[in-house]
Amino acid sequence: GYGPPMRGALLVLGAYVFWGLSPLFWRLLADVPPVEQLAHRVLWALPLLVVAAWMTRGYRNLRGIGVRGWGRIGLSAVALGLNWGTFVYAISVERVVEASLGYYMNPLVSVLLGVVVLGERLRRAQWLAVGLAAGGVVFLTVALGSLPWISLVLAFSFGLYGLAQKRYGAIGPWTSLGSEIIWMLPAALVGVFVWAGDGSGSFGVDPGLTWLLLATGPVTIIPLLLFGAGARKIPLTMVGLFQYVAPTLQLLVGVAIFGEPFPTGRLIGFLIVWAGVAVYVWDLWSTREPVPARQ
């Protein structure tokens, strides 16, 4: 059979493949408003998170969070909700390609936030990578005549989410996400009940659509289960390299399956950002520290 590192790599790769192909699922919900999709995603992910936290005994970490900790988790929940909502909006308005650019840029935005917020110092290669990403955004804005705001919102919201998690400490992945879902739950419940009351909601109207809304929970949790099970078994460097599988698949889905335009101007802009990504990956690989495969 496969050893722990190989199993870990396959699990993490499976998570990123799942995320990369997820636009195929969310496109099935294109007729449901993005805010309603987000509400049901929160609602149906929570029971699965409760089970996962109970099985891993992660609920014990809730006791030590404190008032300030819950406040920081609230900020993290806002960033995560903004990221999820923007992603499903991008799919509903046929801008998956622009969404994929956001996830290519995300690690570079995280590096930049480390400098601005945490006072971290960057190596020359990292500055070059961030500069190329910024140059790609400027080029796309000029060439296409509009700011790629979906890409920027996705990149910065997820970067801020990671920053918030780093600030309030590690309380375990299931406890962390479960706490953020708890923050989002009241608004999700109010929305679902209001939509059901005035007849504008999608849940229960059509059996197929209802099942799809119920499936938003597992679709959210399954890749997290894969990632959580695999990431502990492989070096962090390998996780960092695998993260580009998801936006690459999203880009292919957007262009090859959904038929979104990919003109020369957009290609050049992507190539500039990809050059930044290549520099970042090279720097990540060349400066990696020896890490035991099983952690």
Side-chain angles (χ1 to χ4, degrees):
Y2 296 116
M6 178 60 74
R7 283 199 300 269
L10 290 174
L11 289 168
V12 172
L13 182 60
Y16 281 118
V17 169
F18 198 107
W19 281 319
L21 297 178
S22 66
L24 296 172
F25 169 80
W26 295 107
R27 178 57 65 88
L28 298 174
L29 288 165
D31 292 334
V32 179
V35 175
E36 188 177 357
Q37 292 184 45
L38 178 60
H40 282 283
R41 187 175 189 178
V42 169
L43 191 61
W44 305 119
L46 183 60
L48 299 175
L49 280 169
V50 169
V51 171
W54 186 265
M55 292 180 65
T56 58
R57 299 185 182 275
Y59 60 89
R60 295 179 175 179
N61 297 325
L62 290 172
R63 301 169 188 167
I65 293 178
V67 176
R68 293 184 64 184
W70 276 106
R72 290 171 179 168
I73 289 173
L75 295 175
S76 179
V78 170
L80 182 61
L82 179 61
N83 186 271
W84 283 359
T86 304
F87 183 67
V88 295
Y89 169 79
I91 295 169
S92 68
V93 297
E94 301 181 356
R95 294 169 74 173
V96 177
V97 170
E98 193 172 331
S100 73
L101 178 64
Y103 290 112
Y104 278 120
M105 292 166 51
N106 170 242
L108 305 181
V109 167
S110 296
V111 167
L112 182 62
L113 289 173
V115 174
V116 174
V117 180
L118 302 179
E120 296 177 352
R121 300 183 65 181
L122 299 189
R123 295 180 290 273
R124 290 181 180 178
Q126 292 175 314
W127 275 119
L128 177 59
V130 171
L132 285 168
V137 171
V138 172
F139 183 88
L140 284 167
T141 301
V142 174
L144 303 180
S146 62
L147 187 72
W149 68 267
I150 287 177
S151 305
L152 293 173
V153 170
L154 287 173
F156 275 91
S157 61
F158 206 72
L160 290 170
Y161 174 69
L163 181 65
Q165 289 217 322
K166 188 172 184 179
R167 294 298 292 269
Y168 68 65
I171 58 174
W174 302 116
T175 311
S176 170
L177 185 58
S179 302
E180 290 149 4
I181 292 291
I182 289 171
W183 262 102
M184 294 187 243
L185 186 62
L189 286 172
V190 168
V192 169
F193 280 115
V194 168
W195 295 319
D198 64 15
S200 63
S202 305
F203 191 81
V205 175
D206 173 78
L209 199 56
T210 298
W211 280 110
L212 285 173
L213 289 170
L214 287 170
T216 58
V219 166
T220 298
I221 300 305
I222 287 173
L224 291 170
L225 281 170
L226 294 173
F227 185 86
R232 295 171 297 168
K233 298 180 174 65
I234 61 176
L236 187 60
T237 305
M238 187 177 293
V239 176
L241 297 178
F242 278 159
Q243 68 186 313
Y244 292 106
V245 170
T248 300
L249 288 174
Q250 290 168 5
L251 175 62
L252 292 174
V253 167
V255 175
I257 297 179
F258 295 158
E260 294 185 19
F262 201 68
T264 302
R266 175 169 283 177
L267 173 60
I268 294 173
F270 264 73
L271 287 172
I272 297 172
V273 174
W274 284 336
V277 169
V279 171
Y280 171 78
V281 169
W282 173 81
D283 180 73
L284 185 70
W285 183 260
S286 61
T287 59
R288 70 192 188 281
E289 298 178 359
V291 179
R294 189 181 182 99
Q295 299 180 25

